[in-house]
Coordinates of all heavy atoms in Angstrom, one line a residue:
L388 N 101.6 112.3 95.8 CA 102.1 111.3 94.8 C 103.1 111.9 93.9 O 104.0 111.2 93.4 CB 100.9 110.6 94.2 CG 100.0 109.8 95.0 CD1 98.9 109.2 94.2 CD2 100.8 108.7 95.8
D389 N 103.0 113.1 93.5 CA 103.9 113.8 92.6 C 105.3 113.8 93.2 O 106.3 113.5 92.5 CB 103.5 115.3 92.3 CG 102.3 115.3 91.4 OD1 102.0 114.3 90.7 OD2 101.6 116.3 91.3
L390 N 105.3 114.1 94.6 CA 106.6 114.1 95.2 C 107.2 112.6 95.3 O 108.4 112.4 95.1 CB 106.5 114.6 96.7 CG 106.1 116.1 96.8 CD1 105.9 116.4 98.3 CD2 107.2 116.9 96.3
F391 N 106.4 111.6 95.5 CA 106.8 110.2 95.6 C 107.3 109.9 94.2 O 108.4 109.2 94.1 CB 105.6 109.3 95.9 CG 105.2 109.4 97.4 CD1 104.2 108.6 97.8 CD2 106.0 110.1 98.3 CE1 103.8 108.6 99.2 CE2 105.6 110.1 99.7 CZ 104.6 109.4 100.1
E392 N 106.7 110.3 93.2 CA 107.1 109.9 91.8 C 108.5 110.6 91.6 O 109.4 110.0 90.9 CB 106.1 110.4 90.8 CG 106.5 110.0 89.3 CD 105.5 110.5 88.4 OE1 104.6 111.3 88.7 OE2 105.4 109.9 87.2
S393 N 108.7 111.9 92.1 CA 109.9 112.5 91.9 C 111.1 111.8 92.6 O 112.2 111.7 92.0 CB 109.8 114.0 92.4 OG 111.0 114.6 92.5
A394 N 110.8 111.3 93.7 CA 111.9 110.6 94.5 C 112.1 109.2 94.2 O 113.3 108.7 94.0 CB 111.5 110.7 96.0
S395 N 111.0 108.4 93.9 CA 111.2 107.0 93.7 C 111.0 106.5 92.2 O 111.3 105.4 91.9 CB 110.1 106.2 94.5 OG 108.8 106.4 94.1
G396 N 110.3 107.4 91.4 CA 110.0 107.0 90.1 C 108.7 106.4 89.9 O 108.2 106.0 88.8
A397 N 107.9 106.1 91.0 CA 106.6 105.5 91.0 C 105.7 106.3 91.9 O 106.1 107.0 92.8 CB 106.7 104.1 91.4
R398 N 104.4 106.2 91.6 CA 103.4 106.9 92.3 C 102.7 106.1 93.4 O 102.5 106.5 94.6 CB 102.3 107.5 91.5 CG 102.9 108.5 90.4 CD 101.8 108.9 89.4 NE 100.8 109.7 90.1 CZ 100.9 111.1 90.4 NH1 102.0 111.7 90.0 NH2 99.9 111.7 90.9
L399 N 102.4 104.8 93.1 CA 101.7 104.0 94.0 C 102.6 102.9 94.6 O 102.6 102.8 95.8 CB 100.4 103.3 93.2 CG 99.4 102.7 94.1 CD1 98.7 103.8 94.9 CD2 98.4 102.1 93.1
M400 N 103.2 102.1 93.8 CA 104.1 101.0 94.2 C 105.5 101.6 94.2 O 106.2 101.4 93.3 CB 103.9 99.8 93.4 CG 102.5 99.3 93.2 SD 101.7 98.8 94.8 CE 100.0 98.5 94.2
C401 N 105.9 102.3 95.3 CA 107.1 103.1 95.2 C 108.4 102.2 95.3 O 109.4 102.7 94.7 CB 107.1 104.1 96.3 SG 105.7 105.3 96.2
N402 N 108.4 101.1 96.1 CA 109.7 100.3 96.1 C 110.9 101.2 96.4 O 111.9 101.1 95.7 CB 109.8 99.5 94.8 CG 110.9 98.5 94.9 OD1 111.3 98.0 96.0 ND2 111.4 98.1 93.8
Y403 N 110.8 102.1 97.3 CA 111.8 103.1 97.5 C 112.8 102.8 98.6 O 114.0 103.2 98.5 CB 111.1 104.4 97.9 CG 112.0 105.7 98.0 CD1 112.9 106.0 97.0 CD2 112.0 106.4 99.2 CE1 113.7 107.1 97.1 CE2 112.8 107.5 99.3 CZ 113.7 107.8 98.3 OH 114.5 109.0 98.4
F404 N 112.5 102.0 99.6 CA 113.4 101.7 100.7 C 114.4 100.6 100.3 O 114.0 99.7 99.5 CB 112.7 101.4 101.9 CG 111.9 102.5 102.6 CD1 111.3 103.5 101.9 CD2 111.9 102.6 104.0 CE1 110.7 104.6 102.5 CE2 111.2 103.7 104.5 CZ 110.6 104.7 103.8

Side-chain angles (χ1 to χ4, degrees):
L388 293 182
D389 287 343
L390 291 175
F391 286 176
E392 184 178 20
S393 171
S395 71
R398 300 173 67 81
L399 196 63
M400 309 297 177
C401 297
N402 187 25
Y403 183 55
F404 288 38

